[in-house]
Amino acid sequence: MGLSVRAVFFDLDNTLIDTAGASRKGMLEVIKLLQSNYHYKEEAEIICDKVQVKLSKEYFHSSNACITDVRISHWEEAIQETKGGTANKKLAEECYFLWKSTRLQHMTLAEDVKAMLTELRKEVYLLLLTNGDKLTQREKIEACACQSYFDAVVVGGEQKEEKPAPSIFYYCCDLLGVQPGDCVMVGDTLETDIQGGLNAGLKATVWINKNSIVPLKSSPIPHYIISSVLELPALLQSIDCKDSMSA
């Protein structure tokens, strides 16, 4: 490998670690808490569903808001919307911290992913490029102990712009001393990972499509699609072979 691809940029959430699965486990713990300690029945699931919607609509970049305060308010609002009455911040805090701690406990880098990264790094530079609030993303990086597998780690919330802005990709290239045409972006989100890689003129974009999702016609089109990040080494070898043949 290594001849035509010099660096691989990896997304974190739902690419290298199962963030969605970890979040679901956190929600299940909160449902148990609400049902056993507070005698909420079907309301427990309704509250968690409402919080999940609020989480999906978050946008923090360039915001001075503290993510902890914002997320506690999600729980507070969801409880009040479901149960009525006065706001219950104490319960909201209990739910939030239980969800968060459970989620972080389940954010792990699988052994086969660790092995893949270790082998790949012998051939190319590896960089972790993740969007999101800097505190939240750094907590995830620490929880899954992935930093040591990369030559550099870049968190969108610490930069002027996040994916899909070309500037953050150029910053990553500068960190590694490579050109965009030397690099491959690997991620699960078409609108940020793939669109960003296309915007920055990277050599290739690789979409991780675990659930065989059919994208919208308006979605950016990746160069390659795989169902698991573990398929990446073979794909990179095929990219190299194609380049060798066309040289």
Side-chain angles (χ1 to χ4, degrees):
M1 205 193 306
L3 293 174
S4 64
V5 174
R6 294 191 61 204
V8 180
F9 302 164
F10 284 92
D11 174 52
L12 177 65
D13 296 302
N14 303 309
T15 295
L16 292 176
I17 60 172
D18 184 12
T19 306
S23 187
R24 283 193 296 273
K25 287 172 181 171
M27 291 297 182
L28 288 173
E29 288 304 308
V30 174
I31 289 169
K32 286 183 200 170
L33 169 79
L34 291 173
Q35 290 177 338
S36 61
N37 291 15
Y38 295 93
H39 309 296
Y40 288 16
K41 293 180 182 177
E42 63 276 3
E43 300 101 324
E45 288 188 31
I46 294 168
I47 288 165
C48 288
D49 287 344
K50 284 179 180 288
V51 170
Q52 196 60 56
V53 171
K54 293 174 192 293
L55 288 168
S56 71
K57 293 178 180 176
E58 280 181 348
Y59 183 75
F60 282 100
H61 198 65
S62 300
S63 167
N64 292 321
C66 167
I67 187 119
T68 300
D69 292 342
V70 170
R71 289 189 167 172
I72 288 170
S73 74
H74 291 339
W75 287 98
E76 196 172 357
E77 289 166 10
I79 293 165
Q80 195 168 18
E81 288 165 10
T82 306
K83 294 290 287 180
T86 56
N88 189 339
K89 187 169 184 180
K90 188 164 183 263
L91 178 57
E93 288 175 345
E94 189 176 1
C95 291
Y96 166 67
F97 287 112
L98 175 59
W99 169 77
K100 176 184 169 179
S101 63
T102 305
R103 188 170 88 132
L104 287 173
Q105 283 167 21
H106 288 93
M107 286 188 183
T108 55
L109 207 57
E111 291 303 318
D112 51 6
V113 174
K114 289 179 185 177
M116 179 203 69
L117 292 172
T118 300
E119 287 304 306
L120 267 185
R121 199 174 173 195
K122 294 173 183 176
E123 301 276 353
V124 295
Y125 292 118
L126 300 186
L127 181 142
L128 186 67
L129 175 56
T130 175
N131 274 7
D133 173 78
K134 59 186 179 182
L135 174 64
T136 305
Q137 296 311 102
R138 289 290 174 184
E139 284 176 338
K140 290 176 189 173
I141 290 163
E142 185 177 348
C144 70
C146 67
Q147 186 150 358
S148 64
Y149 293 89
F150 294 92
D151 296 289
V153 173
V154 177
V155 175
E158 296 171 354
Q159 303 298 317
K160 288 180 182 177
E161 295 182 294
E162 293 188 308
K163 297 176 286 185
S167 63
I168 196 166
F169 289 88
Y170 300 151
Y171 174 74
C172 293
C173 290
D174 289 344
L175 278 180
L176 299 179
V178 295
Q179 296 299 313
D182 299 326
C183 305
V184 173
M185 177 69 212
V186 182
D188 70 303
T189 308
L190 290 170
E191 294 74 20
T192 53
D193 302 317
I194 303 309
Q195 187 63 64
L198 296 171
N199 290 347
L202 299 194
K203 181 179 190 63
T205 53
V206 181
W207 182 37
I208 310 287
N209 186 7
K210 293 177 187 173
N211 302 313
S212 301
I213 295 165
V214 177
L216 299 171
K217 286 184 180 177
S218 58
S219 296
I221 300 171
H223 294 91
Y224 302 96
I225 302 173
I226 54 180
S227 60
S228 164
V229 74
L230 297 173
E231 296 169 34
L232 184 66
L235 174 62
L236 291 176
Q237 285 182 333
S238 75
I239 294 172
D240 264 342
C241 287
K242 283 179 187 174
D243 282 3
S244 297
M245 290 170 67
S246 62

